[in-house]
Amino acid sequence: MASLPEGALMQRAAAGLAYAVIGHLRGRGLGGAYGKRIVLLVGSGDNGGDALYAGALLARRGARVEAWLLSDRAHAGGVAALKAAGGTVSSGVFSTSSTTFDVVVDGIVGIGGKPGLRPDAEAALALLPGIPVVSVDTPSGVCVDTGEVDGAHVTADLTVTFGTHKPCHLLDPAASACGTVQLVDIGLRLPRPAIESLEAADVADLVPRPAPDGHKYSRGVVGLRVGSATYPGAALLAVSGANTGLAGMVRYVGTASEWVKRHNPEVVGDGQAQAWVVGSGSADGANSALAFARASGVPLVIDADSLRALNGPLGVPAILTPHAGELAALIREDRGEIEARPLHYARLAAKRFDAVVLLKGRRTTIASPDPGTPVRVNTTGTSWLATAGSGDVLGGLIGSLLAAGLAPIDAASAGAWLHGAAASLASAGGPVTASGVAAAIPAVIRSLPAVSPLRN
Protein backbone atom coordinates (compact mmCIF):
# COMPACT_ATOMS: atom_id res chain seq x y z
CA MET A 1 0.00 0.00 0.00
CA ALA A 2 2.92 2.33 0.74
CA SER A 3 4.21 1.87 -2.80
CA LEU A 4 0.97 3.04 -4.47
CA PRO A 5 -0.85 6.37 -4.69
CA GLU A 6 -3.49 6.86 -2.02
CA GLY A 7 -6.73 5.14 -2.97
CA ALA A 8 -5.22 3.07 -5.80
CA LEU A 9 -6.11 -0.28 -4.27
CA MET A 10 -9.68 0.83 -3.58
CA GLN A 11 -10.09 1.95 -7.20
CA ARG A 12 -8.80 -1.42 -8.41
CA ALA A 13 -11.17 -3.24 -6.08
CA ALA A 14 -14.12 -1.05 -7.08
CA ALA A 15 -13.50 -1.65 -10.78
CA GLY A 16 -13.31 -5.41 -10.23
CA LEU A 17 -16.49 -5.30 -8.17
CA ALA A 18 -18.39 -3.28 -10.78
CA TYR A 19 -17.47 -5.68 -13.57
CA ALA A 20 -18.38 -8.65 -11.35
CA VAL A 21 -21.83 -7.14 -10.77
CA ILE A 22 -22.25 -6.69 -14.52
CA GLY A 23 -21.18 -10.30 -15.07
CA HIS A 24 -23.67 -11.44 -12.44
CA LEU A 25 -26.49 -9.54 -14.14
CA ARG A 26 -25.57 -11.02 -17.51
CA GLY A 27 -25.37 -14.49 -16.00
CA ARG A 28 -28.98 -14.11 -14.91
CA GLY A 29 -29.99 -13.15 -18.44
CA LEU A 30 -30.54 -9.47 -17.59
CA GLY A 31 -27.94 -7.98 -19.91
CA GLY A 32 -25.49 -5.32 -18.72
CA ALA A 33 -25.82 -2.49 -16.24
CA TYR A 34 -27.92 -0.10 -18.34
CA GLY A 35 -31.31 0.54 -16.80
CA LYS A 36 -30.84 -1.85 -13.88
CA ARG A 37 -31.81 -0.86 -10.35
CA ILE A 38 -28.96 -1.45 -7.89
CA VAL A 39 -28.99 -0.75 -4.16
CA LEU A 40 -25.81 -0.46 -2.14
CA LEU A 41 -25.88 -1.23 1.58
CA VAL A 42 -22.97 0.82 2.89
CA GLY A 43 -21.28 0.68 6.28
CA SER A 44 -18.29 2.60 7.57
CA GLY A 45 -15.46 0.37 6.38
CA ASP A 46 -13.35 0.35 3.26
CA ASN A 47 -15.59 -2.24 1.65
CA GLY A 48 -18.36 0.36 1.89
CA GLY A 49 -16.03 2.65 -0.06
CA ASP A 50 -15.48 -0.15 -2.61
CA ALA A 51 -19.26 -0.45 -3.01
CA LEU A 52 -19.73 3.30 -3.47
CA TYR A 53 -16.99 3.67 -6.09
CA ALA A 54 -18.28 0.57 -7.88
CA GLY A 55 -21.74 2.10 -7.76
CA ALA A 56 -20.36 5.24 -9.42
CA LEU A 57 -18.89 3.11 -12.24
CA LEU A 58 -22.19 1.30 -12.68
CA ALA A 59 -24.12 4.59 -12.69
CA ARG A 60 -21.90 5.87 -15.47
CA ARG A 61 -22.88 2.77 -17.42
CA GLY A 62 -26.54 3.65 -17.12
CA ALA A 63 -27.55 1.81 -13.96
CA ARG A 64 -29.87 3.49 -11.48
CA VAL A 65 -27.87 3.21 -8.27
CA GLU A 66 -29.11 4.03 -4.78
CA ALA A 67 -26.89 3.86 -1.71
CA TRP A 68 -28.37 3.23 1.73
CA LEU A 69 -25.90 4.55 4.30
CA LEU A 70 -25.94 2.50 7.49
CA SER A 71 -23.30 4.67 9.18
CA ASP A 72 -22.63 8.37 9.51
CA ARG A 73 -18.98 7.52 8.77
CA ALA A 74 -19.47 6.21 5.24
CA HIS A 75 -16.53 6.79 2.89
CA ALA A 76 -16.81 10.49 1.98
CA GLY A 77 -14.95 10.20 -1.33
CA GLY A 78 -17.12 7.28 -2.39
CA VAL A 79 -20.32 9.13 -1.52
CA ALA A 80 -19.19 12.16 -3.55
CA ALA A 81 -18.21 9.96 -6.51
CA LEU A 82 -21.59 8.23 -6.54
CA LYS A 83 -23.50 11.50 -6.40
CA ALA A 84 -21.34 12.97 -9.19
CA ALA A 85 -22.15 9.95 -11.37
CA GLY A 86 -25.89 10.43 -10.89
CA GLY A 87 -26.50 7.99 -8.08
CA THR A 88 -28.67 8.77 -5.06
CA VAL A 89 -27.84 8.50 -1.38
CA SER A 90 -30.22 7.83 1.49
CA SER A 91 -29.72 7.49 5.22
CA GLY A 92 -31.90 6.91 8.24
CA VAL A 93 -35.23 5.65 6.87
CA PHE A 94 -35.31 3.43 3.78
CA SER A 95 -38.21 2.36 1.60
CA THR A 96 -38.80 0.08 -1.39
CA SER A 97 -42.47 0.99 -1.80
CA SER A 98 -42.04 2.16 -5.40
CA THR A 99 -38.77 0.42 -6.31
CA THR A 100 -37.85 -3.10 -7.34
CA PHE A 101 -34.13 -3.71 -7.33
CA ASP A 102 -32.22 -6.10 -9.58
CA VAL A 103 -29.28 -6.65 -7.25
CA VAL A 104 -28.15 -5.74 -3.73
CA VAL A 105 -24.48 -4.92 -3.13
CA ASP A 106 -23.52 -5.78 0.45
CA GLY A 107 -20.86 -3.35 1.68
CA ILE A 108 -22.04 -3.34 5.29
CA VAL A 109 -19.09 -4.85 7.19
CA GLY A 110 -15.54 -5.52 5.99
CA ILE A 111 -12.84 -7.97 7.02
CA GLY A 112 -12.28 -6.14 10.31
CA GLY A 113 -15.90 -6.50 11.42
CA LYS A 114 -17.18 -8.67 14.25
CA PRO A 115 -19.61 -11.56 13.64
CA GLY A 116 -23.28 -10.65 13.54
CA LEU A 117 -25.15 -7.64 12.18
CA ARG A 118 -26.48 -4.56 13.90
CA PRO A 119 -30.27 -4.17 14.02
CA ASP A 120 -30.27 -1.38 11.41
CA ALA A 121 -28.47 -3.63 8.91
CA GLU A 122 -30.88 -6.48 9.61
CA ALA A 123 -33.81 -4.10 9.08
CA ALA A 124 -32.40 -2.89 5.75
CA LEU A 125 -31.91 -6.44 4.52
CA ALA A 126 -35.44 -7.33 5.58
CA LEU A 127 -36.72 -4.71 3.10
CA LEU A 128 -35.00 -6.56 0.24
CA PRO A 129 -36.20 -10.17 0.38
CA GLY A 130 -35.48 -12.44 -2.54
CA ILE A 131 -33.17 -9.98 -4.36
CA PRO A 132 -29.80 -11.48 -5.38
CA VAL A 133 -26.91 -10.25 -3.22
CA VAL A 134 -23.33 -9.51 -4.24
CA SER A 135 -21.12 -9.20 -1.16
CA VAL A 136 -18.00 -7.06 -1.10
CA ASP A 137 -15.00 -9.10 0.11
CA THR A 138 -17.03 -11.22 2.55
CA PRO A 139 -20.71 -11.68 3.46
CA SER A 140 -21.32 -9.17 6.22
CA GLY A 141 -21.74 -10.69 9.65
CA VAL A 142 -19.58 -13.82 9.32
CA CYS A 143 -16.30 -14.28 11.19
CA VAL A 144 -13.68 -13.71 8.51
CA ASP A 145 -10.74 -15.41 10.22
CA THR A 146 -12.42 -18.60 11.49
CA GLY A 147 -15.36 -19.24 9.18
CA GLU A 148 -17.72 -19.26 12.16
CA VAL A 149 -21.08 -17.51 12.29
CA ASP A 150 -22.68 -15.98 15.36
CA GLY A 151 -25.94 -14.15 14.86
CA ALA A 152 -27.44 -12.62 11.74
CA HIS A 153 -25.36 -12.48 8.58
CA VAL A 154 -25.72 -11.92 4.87
CA THR A 155 -26.18 -14.92 2.58
CA ALA A 156 -24.70 -13.94 -0.76
CA ASP A 157 -25.24 -15.26 -4.27
CA LEU A 158 -21.80 -13.94 -5.24
CA THR A 159 -18.90 -12.78 -3.09
CA VAL A 160 -16.25 -10.65 -4.79
CA THR A 161 -13.01 -10.68 -2.84
CA PHE A 162 -9.73 -8.87 -3.42
CA GLY A 163 -6.09 -9.95 -3.42
CA THR A 164 -6.59 -13.37 -1.85
CA HIS A 165 -9.28 -15.65 -0.52
CA LYS A 166 -10.06 -15.20 3.16
CA PRO A 167 -10.59 -18.10 5.60
CA CYS A 168 -14.36 -17.57 5.59
CA HIS A 169 -14.46 -18.26 1.85
CA LEU A 170 -13.08 -21.74 2.45
CA LEU A 171 -14.26 -22.77 5.91
CA ASP A 172 -17.80 -23.77 6.76
CA PRO A 173 -20.23 -22.69 7.99
CA ALA A 174 -19.37 -19.21 6.64
CA ALA A 175 -18.34 -20.60 3.24
CA SER A 176 -21.93 -21.75 2.74
CA ALA A 177 -23.00 -18.10 2.98
CA CYS A 178 -20.57 -16.90 0.29
CA GLY A 179 -22.26 -18.31 -2.80
CA THR A 180 -19.88 -18.22 -5.74
CA VAL A 181 -16.56 -16.60 -4.79
CA GLN A 182 -14.82 -14.46 -7.42
CA LEU A 183 -11.25 -13.32 -6.75
CA VAL A 184 -10.07 -9.96 -8.10
CA ASP A 185 -6.30 -9.51 -8.27
CA ILE A 186 -5.40 -6.02 -7.04
CA GLY A 187 -1.64 -6.56 -6.90
CA LEU A 188 -1.07 -7.44 -3.25
CA ARG A 189 2.17 -9.02 -2.07
CA LEU A 190 1.07 -11.63 0.43
CA PRO A 191 2.69 -13.50 3.35
CA ARG A 192 2.31 -17.24 3.90
CA PRO A 193 -1.32 -17.95 4.77
CA ALA A 194 -2.68 -19.69 7.84
CA ILE A 195 -5.33 -21.41 5.69
CA GLU A 196 -4.82 -22.76 2.19
CA SER A 197 -6.60 -24.86 -0.41
CA LEU A 198 -4.95 -27.09 -2.97
CA GLU A 199 -5.67 -26.68 -6.67
CA ALA A 200 -5.10 -29.15 -9.49
CA ALA A 201 -1.51 -28.00 -10.15
CA ASP A 202 -0.63 -28.42 -6.46
CA VAL A 203 -2.00 -31.95 -6.44
CA ALA A 204 -0.15 -32.75 -9.68
CA ASP A 205 3.10 -31.80 -7.92
CA LEU A 206 2.27 -34.02 -4.94
CA VAL A 207 1.04 -37.18 -6.67
CA PRO A 208 3.83 -39.80 -6.56
CA ARG A 209 5.12 -40.84 -9.97
CA PRO A 210 7.27 -43.94 -10.60
CA ALA A 211 10.98 -43.39 -11.10
CA PRO A 212 12.44 -44.87 -14.30
CA ASP A 213 14.19 -47.55 -12.24
CA GLY A 214 11.36 -47.93 -9.73
CA HIS A 215 9.82 -51.24 -8.65
CA LYS A 216 6.80 -52.26 -6.61
CA TYR A 217 8.60 -52.02 -3.29
CA SER A 218 10.25 -48.68 -3.99
CA ARG A 219 6.83 -47.26 -4.92
CA GLY A 220 5.47 -48.15 -1.49
CA VAL A 221 3.46 -50.96 0.09
CA VAL A 222 0.21 -50.08 1.82
CA GLY A 223 -1.43 -52.50 4.23
CA LEU A 224 -5.07 -52.53 5.33
CA ARG A 225 -6.57 -54.13 8.43
CA VAL A 226 -10.18 -53.15 7.87
CA GLY A 227 -13.60 -54.71 7.53
CA SER A 228 -15.24 -57.48 9.55
CA ALA A 229 -17.80 -60.25 9.24
CA THR A 230 -20.44 -57.60 9.98
CA TYR A 231 -19.08 -55.09 7.44
CA PRO A 232 -17.18 -56.97 4.71
CA GLY A 233 -18.03 -54.28 2.17
CA ALA A 234 -15.95 -51.76 4.08
CA ALA A 235 -12.88 -53.88 3.40
CA LEU A 236 -13.59 -54.07 -0.32
CA LEU A 237 -14.18 -50.32 -0.56
CA ALA A 238 -11.09 -49.36 1.44
CA VAL A 239 -8.98 -51.70 -0.68
CA SER A 240 -10.49 -50.25 -3.85
CA GLY A 241 -9.39 -46.77 -2.69
CA ALA A 242 -5.88 -48.02 -2.02
CA ASN A 243 -5.63 -50.17 -5.16
CA THR A 244 -5.60 -47.32 -7.70
CA GLY A 245 -1.98 -47.69 -8.83
CA LEU A 246 -0.55 -44.96 -6.61
CA ALA A 247 1.33 -47.47 -4.44
CA GLY A 248 3.36 -50.38 -5.72
CA MET A 249 1.59 -53.04 -3.66
CA VAL A 250 -1.54 -53.42 -1.55
CA ARG A 251 -1.75 -55.89 1.33
CA TYR A 252 -4.97 -56.91 3.04
CA VAL A 253 -5.41 -58.68 6.37
CA GLY A 254 -8.88 -59.45 7.64
CA THR A 255 -12.00 -61.60 7.56
CA ALA A 256 -12.96 -60.48 4.04
CA SER A 257 -9.74 -61.74 2.48
CA GLU A 258 -11.28 -64.10 -0.05
CA TRP A 259 -13.85 -61.55 -1.19
CA VAL A 260 -11.23 -58.81 -1.49
CA LYS A 261 -8.88 -60.98 -3.55
CA ARG A 262 -11.69 -62.15 -5.80
CA HIS A 263 -12.39 -58.52 -6.78
CA ASN A 264 -8.76 -57.34 -6.58
CA PRO A 265 -6.42 -60.16 -7.66
CA GLU A 266 -3.38 -57.84 -7.32
CA VAL A 267 -3.87 -57.60 -3.56
CA VAL A 268 -1.61 -59.80 -1.42
CA GLY A 269 -1.72 -60.98 2.17
CA ASP A 270 0.06 -60.12 5.39
CA GLY A 271 3.59 -58.73 5.47
CA GLN A 272 5.56 -55.56 5.92
CA ALA A 273 4.11 -52.26 4.77
CA GLN A 274 5.21 -48.63 4.61
CA ALA A 275 1.81 -47.49 5.94
CA TRP A 276 -1.26 -49.15 7.46
CA VAL A 277 -4.93 -48.24 7.22
CA VAL A 278 -7.11 -49.40 10.12
CA GLY A 279 -10.62 -49.02 11.46
CA SER A 280 -13.02 -48.90 8.51
CA GLY A 281 -15.85 -51.33 9.29
CA SER A 282 -13.62 -53.21 11.75
CA ALA A 283 -16.28 -53.50 14.48
CA ASP A 284 -14.92 -55.56 17.40
CA GLY A 285 -11.54 -56.02 15.73
CA ALA A 286 -10.78 -52.28 15.61
CA ASN A 287 -8.69 -52.17 18.78
CA SER A 288 -6.48 -55.13 17.84
CA ALA A 289 -6.02 -53.76 14.31
CA LEU A 290 -4.84 -50.44 15.73
CA ALA A 291 -2.53 -52.12 18.26
CA PHE A 292 -0.88 -54.22 15.55
CA ALA A 293 -0.45 -51.33 13.14
CA ARG A 294 0.88 -49.05 15.87
CA ALA A 295 3.48 -51.66 16.90
CA SER A 296 4.78 -51.77 13.31
CA GLY A 297 6.17 -48.25 13.75
CA VAL A 298 5.10 -47.04 10.30
CA PRO A 299 2.69 -44.18 9.49
CA LEU A 300 -1.00 -44.91 10.03
CA VAL A 301 -4.39 -43.87 8.70
CA ILE A 302 -6.95 -44.32 11.49
CA ASP A 303 -10.62 -44.30 10.57
CA ALA A 304 -14.03 -45.11 12.01
CA ASP A 305 -14.04 -47.84 14.68
CA SER A 306 -10.32 -47.54 15.52
CA LEU A 307 -10.75 -43.89 16.44
CA ARG A 308 -12.58 -44.96 19.59
CA ALA A 309 -9.42 -46.60 20.91
CA LEU A 310 -7.42 -43.38 20.95
CA ASN A 311 -6.57 -41.65 24.22
CA GLY A 312 -3.52 -39.58 23.33
CA PRO A 313 -0.53 -39.34 20.97
CA LEU A 314 0.34 -42.56 19.16
CA GLY A 315 4.10 -42.15 18.90
CA VAL A 316 4.09 -42.69 15.12
CA PRO A 317 3.05 -40.38 12.26
CA ALA A 318 -0.70 -40.68 11.90
CA ILE A 319 -3.71 -39.32 10.05
CA LEU A 320 -7.08 -39.40 11.81
CA THR A 321 -10.12 -39.23 9.51
CA PRO A 322 -13.23 -38.56 11.63
CA HIS A 323 -16.50 -36.96 10.63
CA ALA A 324 -18.01 -34.51 13.10
CA GLY A 325 -19.88 -37.20 15.04
CA GLU A 326 -16.79 -39.36 15.44
CA LEU A 327 -14.68 -36.41 16.54
CA ALA A 328 -17.39 -35.40 19.01
CA ALA A 329 -17.22 -38.83 20.62
CA LEU A 330 -13.42 -38.84 20.56
CA ILE A 331 -12.96 -35.51 22.37
CA ARG A 332 -16.26 -35.57 24.31
CA GLU A 333 -17.71 -32.50 22.67
CA ASP A 334 -21.09 -31.69 21.18
CA ARG A 335 -21.38 -32.52 17.48
CA GLY A 336 -23.15 -29.25 16.76
CA GLU A 337 -20.24 -27.32 18.27
CA ILE A 338 -17.78 -29.14 16.03
CA GLU A 339 -19.88 -28.43 12.94
CA ALA A 340 -20.06 -24.77 13.96
CA ARG A 341 -16.29 -24.49 14.59
CA PRO A 342 -14.48 -27.04 12.39
CA LEU A 343 -11.24 -25.05 12.21
CA HIS A 344 -11.00 -24.75 15.97
CA TYR A 345 -11.72 -28.41 16.68
CA ALA A 346 -9.54 -29.81 13.89
CA ARG A 347 -6.62 -27.82 15.32
CA LEU A 348 -7.48 -28.87 18.88
CA ALA A 349 -7.60 -32.57 17.98
CA ALA A 350 -4.38 -32.37 15.93
CA LYS A 351 -2.57 -30.95 18.94
CA ARG A 352 -4.14 -33.37 21.43
CA PHE A 353 -3.29 -36.51 19.44
CA ASP A 354 -0.10 -35.19 17.79
CA ALA A 355 -1.50 -36.27 14.44
CA VAL A 356 -2.85 -34.82 11.23
CA VAL A 357 -6.62 -34.58 11.60
CA LEU A 358 -8.82 -34.73 8.51
CA LEU A 359 -12.25 -33.56 9.67
CA LYS A 360 -14.71 -34.66 7.02
CA GLY A 361 -17.48 -32.35 5.88
CA ARG A 362 -18.73 -30.31 2.95
CA ARG A 363 -15.43 -28.48 3.26
CA THR A 364 -13.07 -31.08 4.71
CA THR A 365 -10.60 -29.41 7.09
CA ILE A 366 -7.09 -30.86 7.49
CA ALA A 367 -4.95 -29.70 10.42
CA SER A 368 -1.35 -30.57 11.30
CA PRO A 369 -0.05 -30.82 14.87
CA ASP A 370 2.61 -28.32 13.81
CA PRO A 371 1.06 -24.89 14.46
CA GLY A 372 3.29 -23.36 11.78
CA THR A 373 1.81 -25.54 9.02
CA PRO A 374 -1.19 -23.98 7.26
CA VAL A 375 -4.52 -25.72 7.70
CA ARG A 376 -5.78 -27.04 4.38
CA VAL A 377 -9.41 -26.93 3.33
CA ASN A 378 -10.63 -29.15 0.51
CA THR A 379 -13.07 -27.60 -1.96
CA THR A 380 -13.54 -30.48 -4.42
CA GLY A 381 -16.51 -32.82 -4.33
CA THR A 382 -20.26 -32.90 -4.69
CA SER A 383 -23.18 -33.32 -2.31
CA TRP A 384 -23.75 -36.72 -3.97
CA LEU A 385 -20.57 -37.87 -2.19
CA ALA A 386 -22.57 -38.18 1.03
CA THR A 387 -23.05 -41.90 0.48
CA ALA A 388 -22.24 -45.07 2.40
CA GLY A 389 -18.68 -46.28 1.99
CA SER A 390 -17.17 -43.12 0.57
CA GLY A 391 -15.10 -42.62 3.72
CA ASP A 392 -13.71 -46.15 3.40
CA VAL A 393 -12.50 -45.32 -0.12
CA LEU A 394 -10.91 -42.11 1.17
CA GLY A 395 -9.01 -43.92 3.91
CA GLY A 396 -7.54 -46.43 1.48
CA LEU A 397 -6.59 -43.70 -0.98
CA ILE A 398 -4.81 -41.67 1.70
CA GLY A 399 -3.02 -44.79 2.88
CA SER A 400 -1.61 -45.45 -0.58
CA LEU A 401 -0.28 -41.88 -0.78
CA LEU A 402 1.24 -42.21 2.68
CA ALA A 403 2.94 -45.49 1.73
CA ALA A 404 4.27 -43.89 -1.45
CA GLY A 405 6.21 -41.41 0.66
CA LEU A 406 4.04 -38.31 1.05
CA ALA A 407 4.13 -36.46 4.35
CA PRO A 408 0.94 -36.97 6.38
CA ILE A 409 -0.41 -33.45 5.71
CA ASP A 410 0.20 -33.88 1.97
CA ALA A 411 -1.21 -37.42 1.83
CA ALA A 412 -4.37 -36.31 3.63
CA SER A 413 -4.97 -33.14 1.62
CA ALA A 414 -4.05 -34.61 -1.78
CA GLY A 415 -6.19 -37.66 -0.99
CA ALA A 416 -9.17 -35.48 -0.08
CA TRP A 417 -8.76 -33.45 -3.29
CA LEU A 418 -8.54 -36.56 -5.52
CA HIS A 419 -11.46 -38.19 -3.69
CA GLY A 420 -13.70 -35.15 -4.21
CA ALA A 421 -12.64 -34.70 -7.83
CA ALA A 422 -13.29 -38.39 -8.53
CA ALA A 423 -16.76 -38.06 -7.01
CA SER A 424 -17.56 -35.10 -9.26
CA LEU A 425 -16.29 -36.98 -12.32
CA ALA A 426 -18.20 -40.16 -11.51
CA SER A 427 -21.32 -38.25 -10.53
CA ALA A 428 -21.52 -36.03 -13.64
CA GLY A 429 -24.21 -34.10 -11.76
CA GLY A 430 -26.16 -37.12 -10.55
CA PRO A 431 -25.98 -39.95 -8.01
CA VAL A 432 -22.71 -41.76 -7.38
CA THR A 433 -21.67 -44.76 -5.29
CA ALA A 434 -18.49 -45.25 -3.31
CA SER A 435 -17.39 -47.93 -5.79
CA GLY A 436 -17.86 -45.43 -8.61
CA VAL A 437 -15.69 -42.90 -6.80
CA ALA A 438 -12.85 -45.39 -6.44
CA ALA A 439 -13.10 -46.39 -10.09
CA ALA A 440 -12.79 -42.74 -11.20
CA ILE A 441 -9.58 -41.96 -9.29
CA PRO A 442 -7.13 -43.06 -12.03
CA ALA A 443 -8.96 -40.92 -14.60
CA VAL A 444 -8.68 -37.88 -12.32
CA ILE A 445 -4.96 -38.46 -11.93
CA ARG A 446 -4.56 -38.72 -15.70
CA SER A 447 -6.37 -35.40 -16.10
CA LEU A 448 -4.02 -33.48 -13.78
CA PRO A 449 -1.87 -30.78 -15.41
CA ALA A 450 1.75 -31.45 -16.26
CA VAL A 451 4.08 -31.49 -13.27
CA SER A 452 5.66 -28.12 -12.54
CA PRO A 453 9.28 -27.86 -13.79
CA LEU A 454 10.10 -26.35 -10.37
CA ARG A 455 9.17 -29.55 -8.59
CA ASN A 456 12.10 -30.98 -6.60
Side-chain angles (χ1 to χ4, degrees), residues 162-455:
F162 313 112
T164 182
H165 289 81
K166 316 304 185 291
C168 65
H169 300 138
L170 301 175
L171 290 159
D172 275 338
S176 297
C178 291
T180 301
V181 178
Q182 182 173 335
L183 177 64
V184 174
D185 183 3
I186 57 173
L188 297 184
R189 294 191 297 271
L190 299 164
R192 191 183 191 197
I195 313 290
E196 62 187 15
S197 180
L198 298 185
E199 296 184 328
D202 304 309
V203 178
D205 283 354
L206 290 173
V207 166
R209 300 174 193 275
D213 59 348
H215 51 79
K216 60 187 177 184
Y217 295 110
S218 66
R219 293 188 58 207
V221 179
V222 57
L224 297 97
R225 288 179 173 261
V226 296
S228 61
T230 306
Y231 302 110
L236 185 58
L237 290 168
V239 167
S240 69
N243 192 31
T244 56
L246 289 169
M249 181 183 290
V250 179
R251 298 187 182 278
Y252 174 74
V253 181
T255 58
S257 180
E258 289 303 315
W259 194 25
V260 165
K261 291 177 182 177
R262 185 162 58 247
H263 289 84
N264 299 270
E266 309 90 349
V267 174
V268 299
D270 200 359
Q272 290 186 334
Q274 276 73 59
W276 282 96
V277 180
V278 298
S280 304
S282 295
D284 293 340
N287 288 7
S288 60
L290 176 60
F292 171 89
R294 185 176 179 180
S296 71
V298 302
L300 309 180
V301 178
I302 303 171
D303 186 32
D305 298 317
S306 288
L307 291 168
R308 294 198 296 268
L310 300 180
N311 55 18
L314 290 128
V316 295
I319 301 170
L320 316 184
T321 61
H323 56 59
E326 290 167 335
L327 185 58
L330 182 59
I331 64 173
R332 294 182 174 85
E333 185 55 80
D334 178 73
R335 176 174 186 154
E337 277 293 304
I338 290 173
E339 291 173 335
R341 305 180 67 194
L343 175 63
H344 170 79
Y345 285 107
R347 282 172 164 165
L348 182 150
K351 181 178 180 181
R352 180 175 299 181
F353 296 101
D354 193 28
V356 167
V357 172
L358 182 148
L359 178 55
K360 300 171 188 173
R362 188 187 79 98
R363 292 288 175 88
T364 290
T365 304
I366 303 147
S368 167
D370 174 11
T373 299
V375 172
R376 289 180 177 166
V377 182
N378 185 58
T379 60
T380 62
T382 167
S383 57
W384 292 108
L385 187 53
T387 186
S390 63
D392 304 329
V393 172
L394 176 62
L397 172 59
I398 293 172
S400 68
L401 292 167
L402 199 57
L406 268 64
I409 186 70
D410 290 334
S413 48
W417 192 97
L418 291 169
H419 185 252
S424 295
L425 178 63
S427 166
V432 66
T433 63
S435 298
V437 174
I441 292 169
V444 169
I445 295 170
R446 287 192 293 271
S447 73
L448 290 172
V451 176
S452 167
L454 298 178
R455 181 182 180 186

Side-chain angles (χ1 to χ4, degrees), residues 74-246:
H75 194 282
V79 170
L82 178 61
K83 288 180 177 179
T88 60
V89 176
S90 303
S91 59
V93 178
F94 311 115
S95 173
T96 60
S97 59
S98 60
T99 302
T100 300
F101 292 104
D102 295 295
V103 67
V104 177
V105 176
D106 157 34
I108 303 170
V109 181
I111 59 174
K114 296 180 180 178
L117 292 175
R118 295 187 331 204
D120 59 342
E122 285 191 72
L125 285 164
L127 295 171
L128 304 163
I131 302 173
V133 177
V134 176
S135 284
V136 182
D137 224 359
T138 67
S140 293
V142 305
C143 184
V144 176
D145 294 329
T146 66
E148 297 170 17
V149 296
D150 183 13
H153 61 83
V154 171
T155 299
D157 297 89
L158 170 68
T159 297
V160 182
T161 193
F162 313 112
T164 182
H165 289 81
K166 316 304 185 291
C168 65
H169 300 138
L170 301 175
L171 290 159
D172 275 338
S176 297
C178 291
T180 301
V181 178
Q182 182 173 335
L183 177 64
V184 174
D185 183 3
I186 57 173
L188 297 184
R189 294 191 297 271
L190 299 164
R192 191 183 191 197
I195 313 290
E196 62 187 15
S197 180
L198 298 185
E199 296 184 328
D202 304 309
V203 178
D205 283 354
L206 290 173
V207 166
R209 300 174 193 275
D213 59 348
H215 51 79
K216 60 187 177 184
Y217 295 110
S218 66
R219 293 188 58 207
V221 179
V222 57
L224 297 97
R225 288 179 173 261
V226 296
S228 61
T230 306
Y231 302 110
L236 185 58
L237 290 168
V239 167
S240 69
N243 192 31
T244 56
L246 289 169

Side-chain angles (χ1 to χ4, degrees), residues 43-98:
S44 59
D46 281 350
N47 73 328
D50 297 334
L52 288 164
Y53 280 115
L57 290 169
L58 292 165
R60 288 198 292 271
R61 282 178 165 256
R64 290 178 286 178
V65 181
E66 182 175 341
W68 293 3
L69 304 187
L70 302 175
S71 169
D72 57 6
R73 293 181 288 114
H75 194 282
V79 170
L82 178 61
K83 288 180 177 179
T88 60
V89 176
S90 303
S91 59
V93 178
F94 311 115
S95 173
T96 60
S97 59
S98 60

